[in-house]
Amino acid sequence: MKRRVFSGARPTGRQHLGNYLGAIQNYVSLQDEYDCIYCIVDVHALTSLEDTSGLQKNIHEMMLDWLAAGLDPEKSILFVQSHVPEVMELHTLLGMVTPLGWLLRVPTFKEKAKLQPQNINYGLVGYPVLMTADIVLYKAEFIPVGEDQLPHIELAREIARRFNNLFGNTFPEPEARLTSFPLILGLDGTEKMSKQAGNDIEIALSDEETIDRVMTAVTDPARRYRNDPGHPEICNIYRLQGYFNPLQLDNIADQCRSAKIGCVDCKMLLAQQINSSLKPFRERRAALAAKPGYITDVLADGAQRAQVIARETLTEVKQKMGLI
Ligand code: SF4
């Protein structure tokens, strides 16, 4: 039997290059080796989302990107968190074994509380408990995470361990499967690529839109005129060339330092490489988008398969807690 991997991502809508080069490609590569469960965590999104009018569209667009990028509903379970409501019940039950002090110590709670002082809701505090419920409901063993997520996985392990100690061995303690997610900077060249920062390049853009976005990127600030020699080592366009144009990287660096290539030409080269590398993805995406009801069907099937596992775990938990 394959070992089980679980991962959840917030419904952020159309995915950008940072999502693609980090999480999505990793998700796709794990599918053959592991029994993978990938979830769009819509309830988690509510902790910081006040306007939910775009939520369904975001889920749809995100799943379309995932599928077109190679996530295979035949191999993996793909679903939306709230479509398997057992997770909410398990969240409540795990809340009974989680000391409040553990939650108040979580660094991301403090950061979030600072970011939205007008909306420090219970969900922000309880987020790690819901995250633990997401994982242990499916008895997942491995969680693909970047280093910044390690404290959350450690807390999930502590909650699972505490439950096991109190009520008997039930959950595997989830292990972080450390993944070196590349840090993809946005078009401003300073912040991590993100929708919120408005510095992203969506993978589903058309060729022309991609060129327009890349042309807005900040490059080497010292290179004010076409004849100024550049410093590729500090330029984000150069970093991105490393992903999409690796064979020409040395050549670009030489040409940049000797001012034989201008930034506009360099950006055009990058945009063309992004477009040719994403061409198969974009064609698949258009084909999937044209199938009426396809995404709804994939999500319904994923939720049904996830729910079979979820119900079994929840019954076991309730029996052990004396609720049945
Ligand atoms: S030529 Fe390319 S690598 Fe050099 S500064 Fe311009 S965009 Fe960056």
Side-chain angles (χ1 to χ4, degrees):
M1 246 174 74
K2 287 181 184 170
R3 306 185 80 182
R4 185 166 289 157
V5 161
F6 176 92
S7 187
R10 288 184 183 224
T12 50
R14 286 172 33 149
Q15 303 286 276
H16 55 63
L17 283 182
N19 304 131
Y20 181 69
L21 296 170
I24 300 176
Q25 288 195 335
N26 186 42
Y27 283 179
V28 173
S29 71
L30 291 170
Q31 289 185 116
D32 289 321
E33 198 182 336
Y34 295 96
D35 171 18
C36 295
I37 302 185
Y38 297 129
C39 175
I40 296 183
V41 290
D42 54 348
V43 180
H44 282 294
L46 300 179
T47 56
S48 49
L49 204 65
E50 280 161 7
D51 176 10
T52 58
S53 56
L55 198 52
Q56 293 311 312
K57 185 166 189 290
N58 280 350
I59 291 170
H60 183 92
E61 295 289 332
M62 188 166 166
M63 188 50 67
L64 202 47
D65 279 346
W66 280 11
L67 292 165
L71 283 183
D72 182 349
E74 301 285 324
K75 292 182 185 167
S76 302
I77 296 182
L78 309 170
F79 73 108
V80 177
Q81 185 186 28
S82 68
H83 295 183
V84 182
E86 284 76 3
V87 76
M88 263 69 94
E89 214 174 326
L90 184 58
H91 166 230
T92 303
L93 298 176
L94 290 180
M96 307 306 166
V97 304
T98 308
L100 186 58
W102 289 5
L103 302 176
L104 296 176
R105 279 203 309 267
V106 175
T108 44
F109 166 63
K110 292 179 189 162
E111 282 160 26
K112 286 267 179 180
K114 263 190 217 157
L115 278 176
Q116 50 185 78
Q118 78 297 350
N119 182 19
I120 305 177
N121 52 66
Y122 161 73
L124 284 182
V125 188
Y127 160 82
V129 185
L130 182 56
M131 195 189 88
T132 305
D134 285 324
I135 298 167
V136 300
L137 186 59
Y138 305 102
K139 299 200 173 179
E141 293 174 89
F142 298 111
I143 318 299
V145 285
E147 217 151 317
D148 56 330
Q149 282 288 315
L150 283 178
H152 287 137
I153 301 303
E154 195 43 50
L155 187 49
R157 287 169 64 81
E158 283 181 42
I159 296 171
R161 197 178 307 141
R162 189 165 158 83
F163 184 95
N164 289 344
N165 286 338
L166 288 169
F167 298 106
N169 210 15
T170 309
F171 304 122
E173 285 181 31
E175 279 175 42
R177 191 181 185 283
L178 254 189
T179 310
S180 54
F181 291 124
L183 175 65
I184 308 296
L185 296 181
L187 292 168
D188 50 11
T190 50
E191 278 192 67
K192 188 175 163 182
M193 187 176 284
S194 77
K195 275 222 159 129
Q196 255 175 342
N199 63 4
D200 61 323
I201 304 172
E202 290 177 354
I203 52 179
L205 292 179
S206 67
D207 288 2
E208 295 69 31
E209 288 167 333
T210 304
I211 293 170
D212 289 349
R213 285 300 279 161
V214 173
M215 286 297 165
T216 65
V218 174
T219 62
D220 172 7
R223 206 174 174 202
R224 293 174 56 205
Y225 300 103
R226 170 68 180 76
N227 291 336
D228 291 340
H231 305 84
E233 60 283 353
I234 59 156
C235 174
N236 194 33
I237 289 292
Y238 181 72
R239 268 183 228 121
L240 287 171
Q241 299 276 20
Y243 293 104
F244 291 98
N245 209 0
L247 297 178
Q248 290 202 52
L249 208 54
D250 291 345
N251 189 26
I252 292 169
D254 289 345
Q255 293 201 24
C256 171
R257 289 195 183 100
S258 55
K260 283 192 187 130
I261 187 173
C263 290
V264 172
D265 292 337
C266 187
K267 287 175 177 177
M268 181 55 88
L269 196 62
L270 173 67
Q272 284 167 345
Q273 286 300 122
I274 293 174
N275 286 337
S276 68
S277 129
L278 290 177
K279 190 168 185 272
F281 158 82
R282 288 171 179 169
E283 286 171 355
R284 272 196 303 273
R285 193 183 200 280
L288 294 177
K291 288 187 184 179
Y294 179 68
I295 300 296
T296 311
D297 291 347
V298 166
L299 291 177
D301 176 65
Q304 204 174 28
R305 285 154 63 202
Q307 199 163 35
V308 172
I309 308 168
R311 285 191 173 151
E312 201 176 308
T313 307
L314 194 60
T315 303
E316 183 186 352
V317 167
K318 285 171 148 183
Q319 275 168 345
K320 287 187 169 162
M321 293 183 95
L323 295 173
I324 298 178

